[in-house]
Amino acid sequence: IVFCGKTGEEALNEAKEFIGKPLLGKVRYAAPPADCVIESVSDGNIRIRFETTQRAITPGQSVVLYDGEILVGGGFITVSNPT
């Protein structure tokens, strides 16, 4: 996980400040950014919820998060829970 230019525990601490804040997320390079929020940060993981269903999210893929046009973080998907 990289968040606000930091890694490890520092990245997780930075991510906590974005819980509940509207962000944009991308799972695929060519996909348009989609509205999402960070729901929780715990056990070295960030849980993200997209407002709309994203196609075929798969563990091992990257996800990147933007605050407007500013890249704030990214990491690798470990679990996908479609709802």
Side-chain angles (χ1 to χ4, degrees):
I1 296 171
V2 176
F3 215 87
C4 295
K6 298 179 176 144
T7 59
E9 286 300 315
E10 288 182 324
L12 295 171
N13 289 333
E14 288 286 337
K16 288 177 184 176
E17 295 186 26
F18 285 85
I19 292 175
K21 180 177 180 174
L23 297 171
L24 295 173
K26 284 184 71 166
V27 177
R28 288 183 175 67
Y29 172 77
D35 293 331
C36 65
V37 295
I38 293 174
E39 290 190 326
S40 63
V41 177
S42 64
D43 298 325
N45 294 294
I46 298 173
R47 182 177 178 87
I48 301 165
R49 179 178 45 81
F50 283 91
E51 299 297 324
T52 57
T53 301
Q54 301 299 298
R55 185 175 75 69
I57 293 177
T58 305
Q61 288 178 304
S62 296
V63 61
V64 292
L65 300 171
Y66 296 89
D67 184 4
E69 293 185 9
I70 299 170
L71 175 65
V72 293
F76 294 106
I77 296 167
T78 57
V79 176
S80 173
N81 294 321
T83 55

